[in-house]
Amino acid sequence: MSVEKLSITIGGITVLEPMVTFTDIIVSAVCFYIFYKLYKTNKQGKMYFYFEWHFFTMGVATILGGLFGHGFTYAVDVAWKLPGWIISMISVTFMERAFIEHSVKYIGKKTEYFLKMANIIKLILFTGLTVYTLNFHFVEFHSGFGILAVALPLQLFMYIKTRDPGSKYVFIMVGLSLLSGFTFLNEIIIHKWFNHMALSHVFIVVMVFCLYKAALNLQYSQNPTEKATE
């Protein structure tokens, strides 16, 4: 099923898929706002560092995606989509690292090492595949894997171990990610001006807030070695 690409022209400037572009900008603005809010809390430790940079890089990736992946695709080469795609994968990598760090006291050194190495290898592999093929599906798979195969299992493990109150926000985020993915893949359109991509962005906005609430409420304390290096 192909989706018609509508456009508007303002002051002689044409914007393709205006609602998709606009909702991308909204997602980006929310990410930058939450980055600022989390940064201002001045919480110490690697988990918070990774969460902060997840929100910041997601904000950058989303606004690049909105501008060069949708609004002005007619004016640039397809390769201009790559910066947003690659930064979005880096963003997911930061999120995975945050959840690994949250569970590090319970999973053991070998598991920690394996997860961190897999985290980097996966990023390198999917970045290479994306650059080589210019195919957004690899970006989608990388994101889905990070949420469903890394974040969710780690949080289930931590909730069973500690009944962490912050985990419920992660579970809500995962549910919203499934709704967003279902909407996107099945091209559920509520109006020709508000297609499946714009609708999926609405779910993403709520996901971002849920992840922010998780970052604030997850039970976490630094390792002694972290304190010594500050």
Side-chain angles (χ1 to χ4, degrees):
M1 178 182 176
S2 61
V3 179
E4 180 185 1
K5 288 190 176 183
L6 302 174
S7 66
I8 59 172
T9 301
I10 303 173
I13 300 174
T14 298
V15 180
L16 296 178
E17 301 177 299
M19 286 307 297
V20 178
T21 304
F22 176 70
T23 51
D24 260 327
I25 293 171
I26 293 296
V27 172
S28 180
V30 170
C31 287
F32 287 136
Y33 172 73
I34 287 176
F35 162 75
Y36 173 76
K37 291 282 287 184
L38 191 56
Y39 177 78
K40 290 294 286 184
T41 63
N42 199 32
K43 290 180 178 289
Q44 300 299 307
K46 289 182 180 178
M47 185 186 80
Y48 301 113
F49 171 85
Y50 290 134
F51 272 130
E52 287 170 12
W53 282 97
H54 163 71
F55 291 122
F56 181 81
T57 52
M58 185 178 178
V60 174
T62 308
I63 198 166
L64 289 177
L67 296 177
F68 301 126
H70 298 288
F72 301 101
T73 51
Y74 66 89
V76 296
D77 186 83
V78 67
W80 279 78
K81 295 181 178 182
L82 283 174
W85 291 355
I86 293 170
I87 295 171
S88 74
M89 288 190 285
I90 293 171
S91 176
V92 172
T93 300
F94 279 130
M95 180 194 68
E96 293 175 17
R97 279 295 178 113
F99 286 119
I100 293 169
E101 181 61 30
H102 174 240
S103 60
V104 73
K105 293 182 180 179
Y106 296 89
I107 58 176
K109 288 294 183 182
K110 288 184 179 179
T111 304
E112 176 192 356
Y113 178 78
F114 170 79
L115 289 174
K116 288 181 176 180
M117 287 300 297
N119 177 251
I120 296 300
I121 292 169
K122 178 169 66 68
L123 175 62
I124 294 171
L125 173 63
F126 280 93
T127 298
L129 289 169
T130 302
V131 171
Y132 180 75
T133 64
L134 295 177
N135 191 328
F136 184 65
H137 290 317
F138 290 113
V139 183
E140 294 175 305
F141 185 84
H142 181 271
S143 177
F145 188 91
I147 293 171
L148 298 176
V150 180
L152 179 59
L154 282 173
Q155 278 306 293
L156 283 171
F157 171 78
M158 289 298 291
Y159 185 74
I160 292 169
K161 277 276 189 183
T162 67
R163 289 296 188 269
D164 194 313
S167 296
K168 64 183 179 181
Y169 295 106
V170 181
F171 301 147
I172 296 170
M173 182 203 72
V174 172
L176 288 167
S177 75
L178 292 173
L179 279 174
S180 177
F182 181 82
T183 300
F184 184 87
L185 293 173
N186 289 278
E187 297 189 358
I188 297 173
I189 299 171
I190 60 177
H191 191 273
K192 68 177 184 178
W193 286 97
F194 203 88
N195 65 18
H196 61 294
M197 289 179 280
L199 183 57
S200 70
H201 293 162
V202 174
F203 292 119
I204 292 172
V205 168
V206 186
M207 284 172 59
V208 170
F209 275 109
C210 285
L211 190 57
Y212 172 57
K213 293 290 287 184
L216 292 179
N217 287 278
L218 286 172
Q219 296 177 343
Y220 174 74
S221 60
Q222 299 179 95
N223 291 323
T225 54
E226 289 182 51
K227 294 181 180 178
T229 58
E230 289 184 352

